[in-house]
Amino acid sequence: MAKKSIGEMSFLDHLEELRWLLVRATIAVLIMSTAVFFVSDYIFDVILFGPTKPEFITYRWFCDLSHSLGFQDSICVTELDFILQNTAMEGQVNILVWICVAAGFILSFPFILWLLWRFISPALYPKERKHAQLFIFTASLLFFLGVLFGYFIVVPMSVNFFATFKVSAIVKNEFNLESYISMLKTSVIASGLFFEMPIIVYFLTRLGLVTPMFLRKYWKWAVVIILIVAAIVTPPDVISQVIVAIPMLLIYEASILISRIVYRNKLKEQNNV
């Protein structure tokens, strides 16, 4: 049976479409999660616990940057004095399951985007529907760039800060494994979703919920929030905060530019009617 157009679909039809979108997305995540399970040893030992080691590539980058700027070893990481411990009997099993699910979600994200595009495409103009491949590619690229940004920038800086911060020399850091995994998972996925801001702004502008004037009006507040976030997740030095803040500011500026283009095209379409 041919798929109904948006004008022919009732509210229940939309709910049915949404239900099948969620079912297919869930199945995709479960399939990828199962595949991740078979390489879980590598994911934990190399990927997840990589930022806990001083030889992690990000720490070496920062050390090289410190030397090139003439700061000697000021931002070099030579030691991470903490241990990870599991305090719950079922703790490691739960962490294994949720890491597989999180990794499955990340890997299946392009497919989820394709399902989302199929769901919203009836509400778009025919010429906009032709850009499905561009939308999926761009949104996936932004998401994976955000994931890499979170993993290689936000997570190492957070680990370094919390591992070296002490209220007293007699207090030793023994972090709960669940706390560490939660911080890593949240940082990576949140960064990936934040990098989707240009795509989200595009659709919000198309729907008339956001305008470039609104985004520009609250630009100062956005800068303050971004700087606060950068200060929280980085060590207390200006270089680290700038490294995190600049990409986030660029994403916000790109969102304003996209909103301006969409808003201008929308006005032209309304004037031509």
Side-chain angles (χ1 to χ4, degrees):
M1 179 183 292
K3 187 177 179 180
K4 296 181 181 179
S5 66
I6 190 169
E8 300 172 336
M9 294 178 66
S10 66
F11 177 72
L12 292 179
D13 289 331
H14 283 293
L15 287 181
E16 181 67 11
E17 285 289 322
L18 180 60
R19 183 176 76 86
W20 278 108
L21 183 154
L22 296 175
V23 169
R24 294 186 181 103
T26 301
I27 292 174
V29 171
L30 290 177
I31 292 174
M32 298 308 297
S33 299
T34 303
V36 168
F37 173 78
F38 291 103
V39 292
S40 58
D41 289 344
Y42 176 84
I43 288 178
F44 275 90
D45 294 338
V46 178
I47 298 178
L48 297 183
F49 296 142
T52 67
K53 304 169 185 176
E55 62 270 17
F56 187 62
I57 187 170
T58 301
Y59 301 136
R60 289 190 274 117
W61 287 345
F62 288 163
C63 194
D64 293 340
L65 178 62
S66 179
H67 292 160
S68 63
L69 295 177
F71 296 128
Q72 286 77 42
D73 295 336
S74 59
I75 58 174
C76 289
V77 177
T78 57
E79 182 181 10
L80 292 171
D81 187 18
F82 71 94
I83 64 171
L84 293 174
Q85 58 178 346
N86 174 52
T87 57
M89 182 173 294
E90 73 283 3
Q92 295 196 54
V93 174
N94 290 338
I95 288 172
L96 173 62
V97 171
W98 285 111
I99 282 297
C100 289
V101 172
F105 169 76
I106 292 173
L107 294 175
S108 59
F109 192 76
F111 179 72
I112 295 174
L113 284 175
W114 178 74
L115 292 175
L116 182 61
W117 178 266
R118 287 190 61 196
F119 180 72
I120 64 177
S121 60
L124 303 176
Y125 291 104
K127 64 180 181 180
E128 291 176 322
R129 297 175 197 166
K130 298 178 182 179
H131 301 313
Q133 293 181 343
L134 179 61
F135 163 77
I136 296 171
F137 173 78
T138 303
S140 299
L141 178 63
L142 288 173
F143 179 75
F144 289 129
L145 286 176
V147 167
L148 293 175
F149 177 76
Y151 177 72
F152 285 106
I153 303 297
V154 178
V155 170
M157 288 183 171
S158 300
V159 171
N160 180 43
F161 173 72
F162 291 117
T164 56
F165 180 83
K166 291 184 178 181
V167 294
S168 172
I170 66 173
V171 180
K172 294 188 177 297
N173 286 323
E174 297 182 356
F175 299 142
N176 187 284
L177 177 61
E178 183 178 359
S179 175
Y180 170 79
I181 294 296
S182 176
M183 181 274 298
L184 186 148
K185 184 171 57 177
T186 301
S187 299
V188 168
I189 294 180
S191 296
L193 295 178
F194 179 82
F195 272 56
E196 291 293 294
M197 181 180 288
I199 303 296
I200 296 173
V201 167
Y202 170 84
F203 285 105
L204 291 179
T205 306
R206 286 294 312 174
L207 294 173
L209 300 177
V210 168
T211 65
M213 293 75 76
F214 173 85
L215 295 174
R216 183 58 67 185
K217 178 181 179 181
Y218 291 98
W219 182 83
K220 293 181 180 179
W221 287 103
V223 171
V224 171
I225 293 173
I226 288 173
L227 291 177
I228 291 175
V229 172
I232 292 174
V233 303
T234 61
D237 64 82
V238 177
I239 295 178
S240 300
Q241 294 171 11
V242 169
I243 290 174
V244 171
I246 286 179
M248 298 174 73
L249 289 172
L250 291 176
I251 289 293
Y252 189 80
E253 285 295 331
S255 300
I256 295 177
L257 176 61
I258 290 173
S259 180
R260 184 181 297 117
I261 294 172
V262 174
Y263 185 76
R264 184 171 61 244
N265 292 338
K266 189 177 179 181
L267 290 178
K268 290 180 180 179
E269 292 171 359
Q270 292 174 350
N271 293 332
N272 292 333
V273 173

